[in-house]
Amino acid sequence: MKKSNDLEQRRARLTPEQRKKLAQRIRSNRHTLQQYTLISHRPDAEAAPLSYAQQRHWFLWQLDPQSTAYHLNASMQLDGELNSSALHASFQTLVQRHEALRTVFRADANGMPEQIIDPEGNFKLLTIDLCDLPQSLWQQRIEHETMKLNTMPFDLTTGPLLRVALIRLTAIKHYLIVVMHHIISDAWSNRIIIDEFATCYRAHQAGQQPQLSQMMVQYADFAIWQRNWLDAGEKERQVSYWRKQLGAMNPVLQLPSDFPRSSLGNYTAAHYDFQLPDSMAVDLRKWVQDRNVTLFMATLCGFQMLLHRYSGQNDIRVGIPTANRHYAGVENIVGLFVNTQVLRINIDNRATLIDLMELIRDVALGAQAHQDLPFEQLVEALQPERNLNQNPLFQVMFNYMREDYRMLMQLPGLTVREYQLDEQGAQFELMLDIVEKPNGVISARFTYASELFKPASIERMGKLYLSLLNDLLQNPRRTIGEVSLVTVEEWQQLKEWGICERRNDIIEPVHTWIEAQAKERPDAIALVMADTQ
């Protein structure tokens, strides 16, 4: 290990040009830089540069410090005997274990942002005691407190960027609210926090020290390593791929909205939740297995078809978040590793649904092989036209996740239920989250800009999405242009509207009315065309 550390430290001291030459020699020997294990070579007191993903969030925060669009939140109802001391000690353990949870961001003398890591990381749990409040007012006060915690802006320069509150209603009824800024965490990190919190809580409640794996590296080490690796030539290789894949033009997706778009693009997020029928989920799993594709690819295919048919555009570009954790040593680190890719699909109405599925599979596999280029670097390389009310390169996002909260359900003496927070800024005009749960359920959520779309419009979009997935399963040889955007219920409504029981046999035809008017007013103007009457 000491020899490996020495080699990594020597490599870190190389100039960018020297690192490029080293990378070429490594590749010529059929090795890749990913095979090098990420190790720490950073003095504890030294400030670290931001990762590229963090750098983008720093930029967005400076544009709008009051925005809540990048707040990550969770709220849980805890019923049973809660050990508050064990709860506090568990979060304290997590904060001391993961540097990202005790990091703030400041500009240095040259104006460049840095990660400033608090060596102590003293965690403070906010306790809100409502035991004296009448039960009739509980719900109103809980909504008020959770909304307040979630909408309170974070100051990235002072922190803390992890906010935890415990609302106490009775001795056996509590609500736990957790809010973080996205710059220190992501969805994968949230699962790490959940699992490790459950382990810590059980240990602290029993008066024991939690048994967690040793942390060899921290997020700041990854930020340094990422910059060194991309500077060594990997950036140029991946930029070349994405230039070819995305082309020179960047068309804007024009979804028909119910209300006009804002010039600034500041929207409030609203949600519409629905679920794939159990029979469809079963059939879909078998269908993808038989065709050597994944559930991610199949559900994305349905979304691409939906966007194509709604917009009438053929060049459809969707943002896809990727975990970006295929490097050795980062599996258990809390931090912002997630990267965003742009999947571009050119849809031909004459192609069949299975043709589209195969195209999406090929594009997704190509993107997976070039997933390391930070989105920020891609935007910088392609230089798309920038607009305050539009996200560069794509306007809608698709996310496929596996959700597993079983560790929380095993907290001793407690029953845990999720409590949903609302009222948050919208990152995009439209986003579709597909969540696969341990019990086999596949749920879906549209997050949309409430200032652009009516709830009824999004609900209809959800029904059409399920209809398109059903077409993919039942009629894969049907062409895309033949797929109907009218649901079964809507067809029935149209049929009912088309039935007219009234009979108007005594009414004269229209042309006889015209003849009658001509006799009655022979000098009146009958037709106007430009300047001619």
Side-chain angles (χ1 to χ4, degrees), residues 488-508:
V488 174
E489 294 83 1
E490 289 171 336
W491 272 121
Q492 185 61 36
Q493 181 67 74
L494 289 173
K495 288 180 180 178
E496 293 176 3
W497 285 344
I499 299 174
C500 181
E501 301 294 343
R502 295 176 59 185
R503 294 291 181 267
N504 299 306
D505 297 336
I506 62 174
I507 301 298
E508 296 182 0

mmCIF file of all heavy atoms in Angstrom, residues 488-508:
data_model
loop_
_atom_site.group_PDB
_atom_site.id
_atom_site.type_symbol
_atom_site.label_atom_id
_atom_site.label_comp_id
_atom_site.label_asym_id
_atom_site.label_seq_id
_atom_site.Cartn_x
_atom_site.Cartn_y
_atom_site.Cartn_z
ATOM 1 N N VAL A 488 -58.164 4.091 -24.172
ATOM 2 C CA VAL A 488 -59.412 3.342 -24.320
ATOM 3 C C VAL A 488 -60.587 4.160 -23.801
ATOM 4 O O VAL A 488 -61.664 4.209 -24.422
ATOM 5 C CB VAL A 488 -59.315 1.997 -23.559
ATOM 6 C CG1 VAL A 488 -60.664 1.275 -23.589
ATOM 7 C CG2 VAL A 488 -58.218 1.127 -24.160
ATOM 8 N N GLU A 489 -60.387 4.819 -22.656
ATOM 9 C CA GLU A 489 -61.460 5.636 -22.083
ATOM 10 C C GLU A 489 -61.826 6.791 -23.015
ATOM 11 O O GLU A 489 -63.000 7.138 -23.176
ATOM 12 C CB GLU A 489 -61.035 6.176 -20.722
ATOM 13 C CG GLU A 489 -60.839 5.118 -19.641
ATOM 14 C CD GLU A 489 -59.470 4.466 -19.720
ATOM 15 O OE1 GLU A 489 -58.666 4.858 -20.602
ATOM 16 O OE2 GLU A 489 -59.217 3.559 -18.912
ATOM 17 N N GLU A 490 -60.792 7.395 -23.639
ATOM 18 C CA GLU A 490 -61.062 8.518 -24.539
ATOM 19 C C GLU A 490 -61.771 8.070 -25.804
ATOM 20 O O GLU A 490 -62.633 8.784 -26.331
ATOM 21 C CB GLU A 490 -59.742 9.227 -24.877
ATOM 22 C CG GLU A 490 -59.160 10.000 -23.692
ATOM 23 C CD GLU A 490 -57.764 10.511 -23.959
ATOM 24 O OE1 GLU A 490 -57.050 9.931 -24.812
ATOM 25 O OE2 GLU A 490 -57.363 11.490 -23.310
ATOM 26 N N TRP A 491 -61.422 6.870 -26.313
ATOM 27 C CA TRP A 491 -62.135 6.337 -27.473
ATOM 28 C C TRP A 491 -63.610 6.146 -27.145
ATOM 29 O O TRP A 491 -64.502 6.449 -27.956
ATOM 30 C CB TRP A 491 -61.526 5.003 -27.911
ATOM 31 C CG TRP A 491 -60.393 5.114 -28.874
ATOM 32 C CD1 TRP A 491 -59.113 4.668 -28.729
ATOM 33 C CD2 TRP A 491 -60.436 5.728 -30.178
ATOM 34 N NE1 TRP A 491 -58.363 4.971 -29.832
ATOM 35 C CE2 TRP A 491 -59.148 5.611 -30.742
ATOM 36 C CE3 TRP A 491 -61.446 6.352 -30.923
ATOM 37 C CZ2 TRP A 491 -58.831 6.109 -32.005
ATOM 38 C CZ3 TRP A 491 -61.146 6.844 -32.183
ATOM 39 C CH2 TRP A 491 -59.840 6.725 -32.713
ATOM 40 N N GLN A 492 -63.897 5.637 -25.949
ATOM 41 C CA GLN A 492 -65.285 5.425 -25.545
ATOM 42 C C GLN A 492 -66.023 6.750 -25.456
ATOM 43 O O GLN A 492 -67.180 6.864 -25.878
ATOM 44 C CB GLN A 492 -65.311 4.703 -24.188
ATOM 45 C CG GLN A 492 -66.712 4.332 -23.720
ATOM 46 C CD GLN A 492 -67.414 3.379 -24.677
ATOM 47 O OE1 GLN A 492 -66.783 2.497 -25.272
ATOM 48 N NE2 GLN A 492 -68.725 3.555 -24.831
ATOM 49 N N GLN A 493 -65.342 7.777 -24.926
ATOM 50 C CA GLN A 493 -65.968 9.089 -24.824
ATOM 51 C C GLN A 493 -66.261 9.663 -26.199
ATOM 52 O O GLN A 493 -67.327 10.239 -26.438
ATOM 53 C CB GLN A 493 -65.039 10.036 -24.048
ATOM 54 C CG GLN A 493 -65.588 11.434 -23.842
ATOM 55 C CD GLN A 493 -66.789 11.448 -22.914
ATOM 56 O OE1 GLN A 493 -66.655 11.295 -21.717
ATOM 57 N NE2 GLN A 493 -67.984 11.637 -23.469
ATOM 58 N N LEU A 494 -65.311 9.504 -27.123
ATOM 59 C CA LEU A 494 -65.525 10.006 -28.484
ATOM 60 C C LEU A 494 -66.708 9.301 -29.154
ATOM 61 O O LEU A 494 -67.498 9.930 -29.878
ATOM 62 C CB LEU A 494 -64.254 9.812 -29.309
ATOM 63 C CG LEU A 494 -63.071 10.713 -28.952
ATOM 64 C CD1 LEU A 494 -61.826 10.291 -29.725
ATOM 65 C CD2 LEU A 494 -63.396 12.178 -29.253
ATOM 66 N N LYS A 495 -66.841 8.001 -28.904
ATOM 67 C CA LYS A 495 -67.966 7.269 -29.485
ATOM 68 C C LYS A 495 -69.289 7.784 -28.933
ATOM 69 O O LYS A 495 -70.269 7.949 -29.670
ATOM 70 C CB LYS A 495 -67.825 5.777 -29.178
ATOM 71 C CG LYS A 495 -66.720 5.085 -29.965
ATOM 72 C CD LYS A 495 -66.648 3.602 -29.610
ATOM 73 C CE LYS A 495 -65.543 2.902 -30.391
ATOM 74 N NZ LYS A 495 -65.440 1.462 -30.025
ATOM 75 N N GLU A 496 -69.312 8.039 -27.635
ATOM 76 C CA GLU A 496 -70.543 8.545 -27.029
ATOM 77 C C GLU A 496 -70.880 9.929 -27.573
ATOM 78 O O GLU A 496 -72.056 10.241 -27.812
ATOM 79 C CB GLU A 496 -70.379 8.594 -25.508
ATOM 80 C CG GLU A 496 -70.268 7.216 -24.864
ATOM 81 C CD GLU A 496 -70.014 7.293 -23.364
ATOM 82 O OE1 GLU A 496 -69.977 8.436 -22.835
ATOM 83 O OE2 GLU A 496 -69.859 6.238 -22.743
ATOM 84 N N TRP A 497 -69.864 10.766 -27.721
ATOM 85 C CA TRP A 497 -70.115 12.090 -28.276
ATOM 86 C C TRP A 497 -70.585 12.014 -29.736
ATOM 87 O O TRP A 497 -71.287 12.898 -30.223
ATOM 88 C CB TRP A 497 -68.844 12.929 -28.200
ATOM 89 C CG TRP A 497 -68.534 13.425 -26.814
ATOM 90 C CD1 TRP A 497 -69.384 13.473 -25.753
ATOM 91 C CD2 TRP A 497 -67.283 13.930 -26.358
ATOM 92 N NE1 TRP A 497 -68.745 13.976 -24.658
ATOM 93 C CE2 TRP A 497 -67.453 14.279 -24.990
ATOM 94 C CE3 TRP A 497 -66.043 14.136 -26.955
ATOM 95 C CZ2 TRP A 497 -66.431 14.801 -24.222
ATOM 96 C CZ3 TRP A 497 -65.021 14.665 -26.196
ATOM 97 C CH2 TRP A 497 -65.211 15.001 -24.834
ATOM 98 N N GLY A 498 -70.190 10.956 -30.440
ATOM 99 C CA GLY A 498 -70.540 10.834 -31.854
ATOM 100 C C GLY A 498 -71.950 10.333 -32.100
ATOM 101 O O GLY A 498 -72.429 10.333 -33.233
ATOM 102 N N ILE A 499 -72.617 9.886 -31.039
ATOM 103 C CA ILE A 499 -73.998 9.406 -31.175
ATOM 104 C C ILE A 499 -74.961 10.584 -30.995
ATOM 105 O O ILE A 499 -74.990 11.213 -29.942
ATOM 106 C CB ILE A 499 -74.301 8.314 -30.127
ATOM 107 C CG1 ILE A 499 -73.372 7.117 -30.335
ATOM 108 C CG2 ILE A 499 -75.762 7.899 -30.208
ATOM 109 C CD1 ILE A 499 -73.501 6.055 -29.257
ATOM 110 N N CYS A 500 -75.716 10.873 -32.018
ATOM 111 C CA CYS A 500 -76.671 11.992 -31.963
ATOM 112 C C CYS A 500 -78.080 11.437 -32.161
ATOM 113 O O CYS A 500 -78.416 10.909 -33.229
ATOM 114 C CB CYS A 500 -76.338 13.032 -33.034
ATOM 115 S SG CYS A 500 -77.448 14.463 -33.002
ATOM 116 N N GLU A 501 -78.874 11.534 -31.104
ATOM 117 C CA GLU A 501 -80.241 11.009 -31.160
ATOM 118 C C GLU A 501 -81.210 12.004 -31.797
ATOM 119 O O GLU A 501 -82.338 11.658 -32.150
ATOM 120 C CB GLU A 501 -80.717 10.677 -29.739
ATOM 121 C CG GLU A 501 -79.854 9.646 -29.023
ATOM 122 C CD GLU A 501 -79.938 8.291 -29.696
ATOM 123 O OE1 GLU A 501 -80.884 8.064 -30.489
ATOM 124 O OE2 GLU A 501 -79.060 7.447 -29.433
ATOM 125 N N ARG A 502 -80.797 13.274 -31.930
ATOM 126 C CA ARG A 502 -81.711 14.289 -32.475
ATOM 127 C C ARG A 502 -81.868 14.124 -33.986
ATOM 128 O O ARG A 502 -80.917 13.782 -34.676
ATOM 129 C CB ARG A 502 -81.200 15.687 -32.154
ATOM 130 C CG ARG A 502 -81.178 15.994 -30.658
ATOM 131 C CD ARG A 502 -80.558 17.369 -30.411
ATOM 132 N NE ARG A 502 -81.316 18.404 -31.093
ATOM 133 C CZ ARG A 502 -80.932 19.673 -31.122
ATOM 134 N NH1 ARG A 502 -79.809 20.049 -30.535
ATOM 135 N NH2 ARG A 502 -81.672 20.578 -31.766
ATOM 136 N N ARG A 503 -83.059 14.360 -34.487
ATOM 137 C CA ARG A 503 -83.322 14.299 -35.912
ATOM 138 C C ARG A 503 -83.837 15.668 -36.359
ATOM 139 O O ARG A 503 -84.756 16.220 -35.757
ATOM 140 C CB ARG A 503 -84.377 13.223 -36.244
ATOM 141 C CG ARG A 503 -83.883 11.815 -35.961
ATOM 142 C CD ARG A 503 -82.784 11.402 -36.938
ATOM 143 N NE ARG A 503 -82.322 10.053 -36.709
ATOM 144 C CZ ARG A 503 -81.280 9.734 -35.946
ATOM 145 N NH1 ARG A 503 -80.627 10.709 -35.314
ATOM 146 N NH2 ARG A 503 -80.896 8.499 -35.806
ATOM 147 N N ASN A 504 -83.257 16.205 -37.428
ATOM 148 C CA ASN A 504 -83.615 17.538 -37.904
ATOM 149 C C ASN A 504 -84.087 17.470 -39.358
ATOM 150 O O ASN A 504 -83.601 18.187 -40.222
ATOM 151 C CB ASN A 504 -82.418 18.484 -37.775
ATOM 152 C CG ASN A 504 -81.967 18.622 -36.320
ATOM 153 O OD1 ASN A 504 -82.775 18.941 -35.459
ATOM 154 N ND2 ASN A 504 -80.688 18.361 -36.062
ATOM 155 N N ASP A 505 -85.056 16.577 -39.608
ATOM 156 C CA ASP A 505 -85.525 16.368 -40.978
ATOM 157 C C ASP A 505 -86.202 17.607 -41.560
ATOM 158 O O ASP A 505 -86.204 17.830 -42.769
ATOM 159 C CB ASP A 505 -86.506 15.200 -41.030
ATOM 160 C CG ASP A 505 -85.831 13.898 -40.622
ATOM 161 O OD1 ASP A 505 -84.583 13.821 -40.763
ATOM 162 O OD2 ASP A 505 -86.526 12.980 -40.157
ATOM 163 N N ILE A 506 -86.805 18.458 -40.692
ATOM 164 C CA ILE A 506 -87.558 19.595 -41.200
ATOM 165 C C ILE A 506 -86.666 20.803 -41.476
ATOM 166 O O ILE A 506 -87.130 21.808 -42.008
ATOM 167 C CB ILE A 506 -88.674 20.000 -40.210
ATOM 168 C CG1 ILE A 506 -88.047 20.441 -38.869
ATOM 169 C CG2 ILE A 506 -89.660 18.862 -39.995
ATOM 170 C CD1 ILE A 506 -89.082 20.984 -37.888
ATOM 171 N N ILE A 507 -85.389 20.699 -41.082
ATOM 172 C CA ILE A 507 -84.467 21.811 -41.312
ATOM 173 C C ILE A 507 -83.971 21.772 -42.751
ATOM 174 O O ILE A 507 -83.569 20.727 -43.256
ATOM 175 C CB ILE A 507 -83.278 21.751 -40.339
ATOM 176 C CG1 ILE A 507 -83.778 21.791 -38.900
ATOM 177 C CG2 ILE A 507 -82.308 22.892 -40.596
ATOM 178 C CD1 ILE A 507 -84.519 23.058 -38.538
ATOM 179 N N GLU A 508 -84.004 22.941 -43.428
ATOM 180 C CA GLU A 508 -83.564 23.000 -44.817
ATOM 181 C C GLU A 508 -82.039 22.951 -44.902
ATOM 182 O O GLU A 508 -81.338 23.370 -43.975
ATOM 183 C CB GLU A 508 -84.079 24.287 -45.457
ATOM 184 C CG GLU A 508 -85.591 24.373 -45.543
ATOM 185 C CD GLU A 508 -86.032 25.653 -46.228
ATOM 186 O OE1 GLU A 508 -85.144 26.434 -46.615
ATOM 187 O OE2 GLU A 508 -87.245 25.863 -46.379
#
